[in-house]
């Protein structure tokens, strides 16, 4: 199995289930910024990388949940 085997509905369900994590990571990064963490702090960098990776995965899942119009093969 690979990503092409996911149905549009499965991709959409995974995308929606990841929203709470993305929201939490966003808020964590904002709290760290307000708390004075420097951008080059190792923990700050890892928190930002986790948020960026989560958003990237959610974007791919969103595209996988679309039928057409995203520059990819038509999905049923």
């Amino acid at each position: 199995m690979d990503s092409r085997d996911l149905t549009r509905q499965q991709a959409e369900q995974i995308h929606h289930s990841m929203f709470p994590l993305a929201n939490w990571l966003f808020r964590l990064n904002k709290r760290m910024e307000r708390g004075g963490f420097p951008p080059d702090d190792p923990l700050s960098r890892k928190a930002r990388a986790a948020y960026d990776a989560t958003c990237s995965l959610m974007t791919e899942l969103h595209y996988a949940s679309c039928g057409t119009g995203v520059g990819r093969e038509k999905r049923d």
Side-chain angles (χ1 to χ4, degrees):
M1 179 174 201
D2 64 23
S3 61
R4 293 170 295 185
D5 297 322
L6 288 176
T7 66
R8 290 174 49 206
Q9 292 77 20
Q10 288 170 323
E12 183 176 7
Q13 184 178 12
I14 296 167
H15 175 267
H16 285 293
S17 69
M18 291 186 68
F19 180 79
L21 173 60
N23 187 38
W24 184 84
L25 288 168
F26 176 80
R27 290 181 287 123
L28 172 64
N29 277 281
K30 289 299 176 189
R31 282 193 301 270
M32 291 173 80
E33 288 173 16
R34 284 193 304 269
F37 275 76
D40 62 344
D41 180 80
L43 191 58
S44 181
R45 285 193 319 241
K46 293 206 183 282
R48 172 57 61 185
Y51 176 70
D52 291 344
T54 301
C55 288
S56 178
L57 178 56
M58 288 180 69
T59 299
E60 288 298 316
L61 286 162
H62 169 71
Y63 288 152
S65 72
C66 295
T68 60
V70 292
R72 298 179 183 196
E73 289 181 20
K74 183 177 179 183
R75 296 180 58 114
D76 295 324

